């Protein structure tokens, strides 16, 4: 039993089937990088895992609890166990950095404000932004805003963290600072499911690579296997196209 278990997952938008029967089990503490070209279903898969997208067939459980879209209480419970970081930082511009991190624990978990502030300071220190508690998001660089978004996701103490192309909106010189934070989380034993186009990072940090093509998991295995000995023409072509 994984911390995330996906079986026979199918997702359609009208007649367009975006996910065509996904089977994936993620072990606690495992780091999985999902790669593949645009339109292969990578982001849709992540959005299914945290309940943002409803799927038509199959089952999905997180931490032993099934995802049931018509059960509001179950969905709320699930979202507390799954953290998600997006391409855009989605910070609330009118709130300070510290308040952005504190918001969910105080609203959803009814955390004591003092305890939430202490936790927010600790998490900001963890992502290298201890001194930015009172800053506004617009005073930060893109890389700093994305690190605040990571701290905010961690504030809910999720069982699994989903990262959807979290460096794609950043200037190249800011990518490294965000990836270093994610690498530290991986080293700390966080369960990570990340869609990324940073191939060197995927190779270095992930325990398993998942290559998606046309809505299916085409190949899956250790990074050295997929990069070193791709089994399918589609993966060979993808790796050649990114020049890695």
């Amino acid at each position: 039993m994984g911390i995330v278990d996906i079986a026979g997952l199918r997702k359609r938008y009208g007649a367009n089937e975006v996910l065509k029967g996904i089977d994936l089990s993620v072990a606690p503490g495992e780091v999985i990088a999902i790669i593949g070209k645009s339109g292969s279903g990578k982001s849709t898969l992540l959005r299914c895992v945290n309940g943002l997208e409803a799927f038509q067939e199959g089952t999905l459980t997180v931490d032993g609890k099934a995802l049931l879209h018509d059960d509001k209480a179950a969905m709320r419970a699930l979202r507390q166990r799954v953290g998600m970081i997006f391409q855009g930082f989605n910070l609330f511009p009118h709130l300070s950095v510290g308040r952005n991190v504190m918001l969910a624990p105080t609203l959803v978990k009814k955390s004591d404000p003092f305890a939430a502030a202490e936790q927010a300071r600790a998490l900001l220190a963890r992502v290298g932004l201890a001194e930015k508690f009172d800053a506004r998001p617009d005073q930060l660089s893109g890389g700093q805003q994305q690190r605040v978004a990571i701290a905010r996701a961690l504030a809910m103490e999720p069982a699994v963290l989903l990262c959807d192309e979290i460096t794609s909106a950043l200037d190249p010189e800011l990518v490294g600072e965000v990836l270093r934070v994610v690498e530290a989380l991986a080293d700390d034993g966080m369960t990570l499911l990340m869609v990324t186009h940073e191939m060197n990072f995927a190779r270095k940090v992930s325990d398993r690579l998942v290559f998606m093509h046309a809505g299916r998991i085409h190949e899956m295995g250790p990074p050295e296997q997929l990069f070193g000995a791709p089994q399918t023409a589609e993966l060979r072509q993808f790796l050649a196209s990114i020049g890695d």
Side-chain angles (χ1 to χ4, degrees):
M1 188 81 174
I3 196 151
V4 178
D5 280 304
I6 302 168
L9 194 75
R10 290 179 177 270
K11 164 71 186 170
R12 286 184 296 276
Y13 296 105
N16 179 24
E17 194 169 42
V18 186
L19 298 176
K20 302 172 182 172
I22 301 291
D23 298 304
L24 179 64
S25 184
V26 184
E30 191 174 20
V31 178
I32 291 187
I34 304 171
I35 62 170
K37 58 187 188 192
S38 188
S40 59
K42 308 182 302 292
S43 292
T44 303
L45 178 59
L46 284 197
R47 292 170 70 85
C48 285
V49 175
N50 84 336
L52 282 174
E53 296 281 357
F55 49 90
Q56 281 77 32
E57 290 175 44
T59 59
L60 203 162
T61 63
V62 177
D63 219 4
K65 295 180 183 64
L67 193 156
L68 304 166
H69 275 279
D70 46 7
D71 182 337
K72 284 202 169 98
M75 293 303 291
R76 266 199 307 275
L78 171 103
R79 290 217 173 97
Q80 290 190 40
R81 305 301 292 140
V82 180
M84 181 134 180
I85 308 158
F86 301 87
Q87 294 179 20
F89 322 122
N90 299 4
L91 299 178
F92 291 106
H94 61 289
L95 295 179
S96 69
V97 164
R99 294 263 167 217
N100 264 282
V101 178
M102 290 166 62
L103 190 63
T106 48
L107 282 182
V108 181
K109 287 190 171 177
K110 308 288 187 258
S111 298
D112 166 67
F114 181 77
E118 290 292 292
Q119 181 203 34
R121 289 182 191 281
L123 288 170
L124 287 170
R126 190 171 175 185
V127 298
L129 295 170
E131 74 292 352
K132 299 294 186 187
F133 187 89
D134 295 314
R136 295 272 170 176
D138 63 6
Q139 296 171 313
L140 306 183
S141 71
Q144 289 173 324
Q145 288 186 58
Q146 193 57 295
R147 286 188 279 151
V148 174
I150 294 172
R152 181 180 59 183
L154 294 174
M156 289 299 287
E157 299 172 340
V160 58
L161 194 57
L162 311 176
C163 302
D164 188 12
E165 295 276 20
I166 62 171
T167 58
S168 63
L170 299 178
D171 293 331
E173 69 272 15
L174 301 176
V175 168
E177 67 186 60
V178 172
L179 294 183
R180 278 192 292 278
V181 170
V182 177
E183 190 175 349
L185 294 176
D187 289 343
D188 289 345
M190 187 77 185
T191 308
L192 289 164
L193 201 51
M194 53 190 188
V195 170
T196 183
H197 60 276
E198 299 285 343
M199 292 302 133
N200 288 332
F201 179 70
R203 179 181 295 190
K204 181 179 174 191
V205 175
S206 62
D207 299 305
R208 244 189 324 162
L209 273 182
V210 170
F211 169 61
M212 287 186 66
H213 179 76
R216 290 190 172 90
I217 292 181
H218 222 63
E219 287 193 47
M220 182 161 57
E224 57 274 15
Q225 178 186 312
L226 267 71
F227 283 119
Q231 301 296 301
T232 61
E234 289 82 358
L235 179 53
R236 285 194 290 275
Q237 192 180 354
F238 173 73
L239 293 174
S241 74
I242 54 175
D244 197 69

